Amino acid sequence: MFDDFATGLIDVGETELYVRHGGTGSPVLLLHGHPRTHATWHRVAPLLAPYHTVVCPDLRGYGRSGKPPTAPDHAPYSKRAMAADLVVLMRSLGHDRFAVAGHDRGAYVAHRLAADHPGAVTRLAVMDGIPIGEALARADARFAAAWWHWFFLGQTARPAERLINADPDAWYGTTAEQMGEEAYEDFRRAVHDPDTVHAMCEDYRAGLTADRAADDADRAAGRRLTCPTLFLWAARDDMEDLYGDPLAIWRTWAGDVTGHPIDSGHHMAEEAPDELAAALLTFLDGRPSR
């Protein structure tokens, strides 16, 4: 897994991030979603590495990265805080400007990174997610039924950690066959750590509070992303069922948006790595996406 990639734990100020990086060429930062670690990219990163320097961190709170103390406002696990980590991480590796691609929760971090640090982000690829503020503004009974975990993980009256920690394997329910043996072991190591489970819940609590406020402030101020933006979504997930044309939504948040579905279930980096890597390479090399 990740042959010829270097590994390290890099101090980014408030915490440390575990990272794998390798390849050659212009840099691209790959951000995982919940409840994965950086290892979700193990089938995609080697396909990008002949053409790009590929950086795959565990986000703060996830995997082997640090878990800063929580706060009543959940700001330590906001996407703004995670994005700030990543700017420091990339500069530490010698990259002041870079492309970023994020899936699931990582898509929200990637969006916030491009919004807060436009001078650093050359291109943005987001997968299986519209902006959090947009998703919550559109949330209806159908969304709540399908995405109930947002509200279960995000509430604090009866914290979810106790239930999850009772049987993490049953709760998360993935397999080595789906993920690959080494990636699965990295994932299991993470989800069997109660501190990681708590941090992942804090990610969702920040999503319902600090992250929504950041998106709402951008919308109210008329701020839009200026970098080329690619949106990819899993054809066998529910993005189109929930939102119809998700590209139309992203075009209200960014000025230069292209995209298309990937023939996959939700975890496209694991289920359709060749198609995903081809789409990312086309976009990163500046060619229009189909």
Side-chain angles (χ1 to χ4, degrees):
M1 189 172 68
F2 292 97
D3 287 346
D4 301 320
F5 275 54
T7 62
L9 196 63
I10 294 181
D11 187 339
V12 294
E14 290 186 0
T15 191
E16 295 179 319
L17 298 186
Y18 182 80
V19 62
R20 291 187 196 248
H21 56 100
T24 185
S26 61
V28 57
L29 175 65
L30 301 182
L31 305 180
H32 64 84
H34 171 269
R36 292 331 199 228
T37 71
H38 76 283
T40 194
W41 298 107
H42 75 102
R43 292 170 177 153
V44 172
L47 301 177
L48 304 183
Y51 312 99
H52 295 276
T53 300
V54 182
V55 180
C56 302
D58 288 339
L59 296 170
R60 71 158 62 188
Y62 284 79
R64 303 183 216 187
S65 286
K67 291 139 181 77
T70 54
D73 64 358
H74 314 296
Y77 288 88
S78 68
K79 308 310 161 288
R80 175 159 282 153
M82 293 180 180
D85 290 343
L86 297 167
V87 172
V88 178
L89 169 70
M90 293 302 278
R91 287 176 180 164
S92 297
L93 295 174
H95 310 304
D96 290 329
R97 286 174 54 78
F98 50 89
V100 57
H103 177 257
D104 186 77
R105 304 303 287 187
Y108 308 133
V109 181
H111 171 212
R112 184 47 47 195
L113 182 53
D116 285 1
H117 306 277
V121 176
T122 58
R123 288 177 174 266
L124 168 68
V126 282
M127 291 157 263
D128 277 345
I130 64 171
I132 289 177
E134 184 86 47
L136 290 171
R138 291 169 174 263
D140 56 13
R142 180 174 54 175
F143 180 89
W147 291 72
W148 59 273
H149 66 283
W150 274 35
F151 309 103
F152 175 61
L153 299 175
Q155 55 80 40
T156 56
R158 296 186 178 180
E161 289 91 331
R162 182 176 179 182
L163 176 61
I164 296 170
N165 288 327
D167 192 346
D169 293 325
W171 173 260
Y172 292 111
T174 192
T175 65
E177 289 73 23
Q178 177 184 358
M179 295 183 67
E181 189 66 43
E182 290 179 81
Y184 179 68
E185 288 306 314
D186 195 67
F187 157 80
R188 281 196 80 240
R189 182 188 304 113
V191 300
H192 279 261
D193 177 0
D195 290 338
T196 300
V197 171
H198 175 59
M200 291 193 295
C201 290
E202 283 294 302
D203 173 2
Y204 280 83
R205 291 166 189 148
L208 299 182
T209 54
D211 299 333
R212 182 178 192 178
D215 281 2
D216 288 351
D218 282 353
R219 188 199 295 273
R223 286 188 290 266
R224 303 175 79 224
L225 302 179
T226 56
C227 62
T229 300
L230 174 69
F231 180 58
L232 303 172
W233 66 97
R236 289 183 264 121
D237 205 359
D238 59 1
M239 188 62 57
E240 292 181 36
D241 292 339
L242 288 172
Y243 301 116
D245 180 4
L247 286 176
I249 295 174
W250 270 105
R251 286 177 179 136
T252 68
W253 289 82
D256 179 3
V257 179
T258 56
H260 57 84
I262 297 287
D263 184 17
S264 171
H266 179 61
H267 293 287
M268 58 178 72
E270 298 162 10
E271 299 175 40
D274 293 334
E275 185 179 355
L276 176 55
L280 290 174
L281 285 171
T282 295
F283 176 65
L284 294 171
D285 292 341
R287 298 192 297 272
S289 180
R290 65 177 174 84

